């Protein structure tokens, strides 16, 4: 009997050029998370078995890059913009095999660019940016990590103001916490305090006590840091 491998091929049809292709995904039974960082970045027991490396599907034919969160709908004119800016300039590249961290990062950049051109929800684009930041954190590249955390923060803030997170797996409480935590990490303590406070204010009606506690912990850490200075 053949031994089960962590990676398997999942079939997709590109929503842009309609060409079929297969790309690697990680079998859930092989995924072991040791811990989570304060912005929900997972630390995996085996880095090569990191589902985030395979989060973005890249069509090898036209270069359109998307995730399972992308909608099937293309706003009027979006397909032409994507065709002009991505497909017509695409140098055939196959991301369907096992990916390195750098290859994973490149797929997030492609995915975020496609998401922006397609006018996907801000919450979708934010998810791409923050995952790219997590991969840069794994490489200890703080400069690029901060760059992508700021991009994620901007999209999360727009998602909060437009309400486009509604109906997704990201709750209002989780979104407010993320805005606060990314503000803290990128040096905007005023917004961090404001949004941590808003999270804590909802503790009586919250069904996510863990996020309430995380907000209290970050709030306390910020108070301790202010005392030092």
């Amino acid at each position: 009997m053949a031994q089960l491998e962590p990676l398997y091929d999942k079939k997709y049809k590109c929503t842009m050029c309609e060409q079929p292709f297969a790309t690697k995904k990680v079998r859930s039974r092989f995924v072991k998370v040791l811990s989570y960082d304060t912005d929900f970045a997972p630390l995996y027991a085996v880095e090569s078995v990191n589902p985030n490396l395979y989060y973005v599907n890249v069509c090898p034919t036209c270069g359109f890059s998307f995730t399972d969160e992308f909608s099937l709908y293309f706003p009027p004119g979006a397909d032409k913009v994507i065709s002009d800016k991505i497909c017509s300039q695409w140098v055939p590249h196959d991301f369907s095999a096992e990916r390195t961290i750098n290859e994973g990062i490149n797929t997030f950049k492609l995915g975020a660019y496609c998401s922006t051109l397609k006018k996907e929800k801000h919450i979708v684009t934010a998810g791409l940016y923050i995952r790219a930041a997590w991969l840069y954190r794994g490489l200890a590249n703080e400069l690029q990590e901060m760059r992508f955390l700021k991009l994620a923060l901007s999209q999360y803030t727009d998602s909060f103001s437009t309400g486009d997170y509604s109906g997704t797996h990201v709750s209002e409480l989780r979104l407010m916490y993320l805005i606060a935590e990314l503000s803290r990490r990128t040096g905007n303590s005023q917004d961090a305090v404001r949004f941590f406070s808003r999270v804590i204010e909802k503790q009586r009606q919250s069904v996510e006590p863990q996020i309430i506690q995380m907000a209290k912990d970050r709030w306390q850490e910020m108070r301790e840091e202010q005392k030092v200075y």
Side-chain angles (χ1 to χ4, degrees), residues 69-71 115-116 118-127 152-172 175-176 179:
E69 277 74 46
F70 275 43
S71 71
S115 182
T116 302
K118 189 174 175 290
K119 296 182 170 61
E120 281 290 342
K121 290 180 176 183
H122 296 293
I123 197 74
V124 172
T125 310
L153 173 58
S154 175
Q155 291 294 315
Y156 279 129
T157 303
D158 287 345
S159 178
F160 183 73
S161 61
T162 61
D164 77 6
Y165 61 91
S166 179
T168 72
H169 66 281
V170 181
S171 66
E172 182 185 51
L175 180 55
M176 288 194 297
I179 292 171

Side-chain angles (χ1 to χ4, degrees), residues 11 25 49 56 68 85 95 133-134 179 186:
K11 294 179 180 179
K25 297 290 178 183
V49 189
V56 180
D68 294 349
K85 293 187 177 292
F95 284 100
W134 294 344
I179 292 171
T186 56

Side-chain angles (χ1 to χ4, degrees), residues 9 46 58 105 110 118 160 173:
D9 287 321
V46 182
V58 181
I105 288 169
L110 285 166
K118 189 174 175 290
F160 183 73
L173 196 75

Side-chain angles (χ1 to χ4, degrees), residues 34-211:
L34 297 177
S35 62
Y36 290 93
D37 211 335
T38 54
D39 61 354
F40 304 116
L43 176 64
Y44 294 101
V46 182
E47 186 52 45
S48 62
V49 189
N50 179 345
N52 279 328
L53 295 176
Y54 306 94
Y55 189 76
V56 180
N57 314 309
V58 181
C59 174
T61 303
C62 74
F64 182 63
S65 306
F66 59 98
T67 72
D68 294 349
E69 277 74 46
F70 275 43
S71 71
L72 297 176
Y73 171 73
F74 281 74
D79 53 349
K80 186 182 186 310
V81 173
I82 292 166
S83 180
D84 291 345
K85 293 187 177 292
I86 294 172
C87 305
S88 65
Q89 301 176 46
W90 178 245
V91 177
H93 191 99
D94 194 356
F95 284 100
S96 64
E98 188 171 344
R99 296 175 184 173
T100 64
I101 292 182
N102 282 314
E103 285 173 331
I105 288 169
N106 287 337
T107 66
F108 279 115
K109 290 177 180 178
L110 285 166
Y113 189 36
C114 289
S115 182
T116 302
L117 294 178
K118 189 174 175 290
K119 296 182 170 61
E120 281 290 342
K121 290 180 176 183
H122 296 293
I123 197 74
V124 172
T125 310
L128 293 162
Y129 283 140
I130 198 171
R131 285 173 172 82
W134 294 344
L135 292 184
Y136 273 122
R137 188 178 302 165
L139 294 174
N141 187 333
E142 188 176 351
L143 187 68
Q144 289 300 321
E145 179 195 340
M146 284 299 128
R147 177 186 165 218
F148 279 89
L149 286 180
K150 287 174 183 175
L151 288 167
L153 173 58
S154 175
Q155 291 294 315
Y156 279 129
T157 303
D158 287 345
S159 178
F160 183 73
S161 61
T162 61
D164 77 6
Y165 61 91
S166 179
T168 72
H169 66 281
V170 181
S171 66
E172 182 185 51
L173 196 75
R174 189 182 185 94
L175 180 55
M176 288 194 297
Y177 173 85
L178 270 169
I179 292 171
E181 175 59 7
L182 298 192
S183 296
R184 183 185 75 86
R185 284 176 174 264
T186 56
N188 189 339
S189 56
Q190 192 172 359
D191 277 353
V193 167
R194 186 158 60 92
F195 275 92
F196 280 138
S197 298
R198 293 180 73 165
V199 172
I200 295 167
E201 283 168 6
K202 290 187 175 286
Q203 62 185 324
R204 290 190 183 278
Q205 65 257 46
S206 171
V207 293
E208 298 171 284
Q210 184 184 5
I211 293 178

